[in-house]
Amino acid sequence: MNTQDVEWIISPGQVGYEEALAFMEARVAAIAAGEAPEAIWLLEHPPLYTAGTSAKIEDLKDPERFPVFEARRGGQYTYHGPGQRVIYVMLDLNKRGRDIRAFVEQLETWVIRTLNGFGISGQIREGRVGVWVPRPEKERLPDGQTREDKIAAIGIRLRKWVSFHGISINVEPELEHFSGIVPCGITGHGVTSLVDLGLPVTMTDLDVALQQTFEEVFSSTAATA
């Protein structure tokens, strides 16, 4: 097995959340049974909120705004919608080392290296899931900290050591849509996107970069089957 064995699926238009969940459930079962290759699925969703296993109901500030789905992944509330690249990661950790922490670190590294290619210094923060961008030009927080905006969210689930759910990266979503939730339960800091940061990046640009950096990050853990 190597990274070239991973199937890349790119869906045009918007994919409904329940449809995506059904596809992932079936594909993960097939991967675990040795009946299908690993897959990375790139798509966009219509506007919706998802609740992870740690979601707190008080963090859903506007429950009537968009459909809300129980995601059954790690994490809290997230927003998905047009202009956001969702990356569903269906990889077999039986073949890549059964180390959840290392796998999440790989996902973080994958996002950070991809953003670096566009001149963005994405960063990880202890106690704050996802990838963050410092915004020193914004007013500081009351405690004097520099404000930071989230550009990517990460939340996964494993079944028989095969991963599903994954990553979302904000390319050009409607950032105001995030106001209906407390994203990932974190207050004080905000949300940003590639376009919000002044970068006219397209979905295609991002997809190409994701495929290139995936090879760099994950090839070292692709053991021979």
Side-chain angles (χ1 to χ4, degrees):
M1 184 197 75
N2 55 51
T3 55
Q4 283 72 37
D5 295 327
V6 177
E7 180 182 4
W8 286 76
I9 306 165
I10 303 177
S11 292
Q14 297 173 17
V15 179
Y17 190 76
E18 291 173 316
E19 176 188 346
L21 197 59
F23 177 91
M24 283 193 288
E25 297 267 359
R27 185 58 175 256
V28 165
I31 294 170
E35 298 169 354
E38 297 175 304
I40 304 291
W41 188 13
L42 308 177
L43 69 149
E44 291 176 82
H45 283 308
L48 58 92
Y49 297 129
T50 66
T53 54
S54 302
K56 300 174 183 176
I57 191 62
E58 61 268 25
D59 288 343
L60 182 60
K61 295 158 60 178
D62 191 354
E64 304 301 321
R65 187 170 192 182
F66 298 125
V68 181
F69 296 94
E70 297 291 332
R72 300 193 295 277
R73 51 147 176 82
Q76 301 186 40
Y77 282 107
T78 58
Y79 165 77
H80 294 311
Q84 182 190 72
R85 178 50 94 208
V86 174
I87 306 141
Y88 286 136
V89 180
M90 291 160 275
L91 297 178
D92 188 355
L93 271 64
N94 290 293
K95 300 176 179 179
R96 296 176 176 274
R98 293 186 177 188
D99 188 331
I100 298 173
R101 182 182 294 273
F103 179 61
V104 171
E105 287 177 355
Q106 282 185 305
L107 295 176
E108 293 170 341
T109 300
W110 183 23
V111 173
I112 288 169
R113 288 197 187 179
T114 300
L115 294 175
N116 280 345
F118 298 107
I120 294 174
S121 178
Q123 299 176 16
I124 303 302
R125 292 289 179 260
E126 187 70 31
R128 278 197 264 139
V129 179
V131 178
W132 299 80
V133 179
R135 304 300 300 272
E137 73 278 13
K138 290 189 173 184
E139 183 181 353
R140 288 179 174 268
L141 292 171
D143 64 0
Q145 287 188 64
T146 298
R147 288 188 184 271
E148 296 180 337
D149 286 347
K150 191 172 195 174
I151 194 167
I154 298 174
I156 62 165
R157 187 180 178 192
L158 297 178
R159 180 174 296 156
K160 296 183 178 178
W161 289 99
V162 180
S163 68
F164 57 124
H165 297 284
I167 301 165
S168 59
I169 299 176
N170 297 330
V171 178
E172 192 179 8
E174 177 52 69
L175 295 178
E176 198 278 329
H177 287 178
F178 286 88
S179 68
I181 57 172
V182 178
C184 299
I186 297 166
T187 58
H189 298 285
V191 182
T192 191
S193 69
L194 289 161
V195 171
D196 181 54
L197 293 169
L199 299 167
V201 177
T202 67
M203 285 290 180
T204 300
D205 294 333
L206 180 62
D207 292 348
V208 169
L210 284 165
Q211 292 185 60
Q212 291 173 340
T213 51
F214 180 84
E215 298 293 328
E216 299 170 8
V217 175
F218 285 91
S219 60
S220 62
T221 61
T224 303

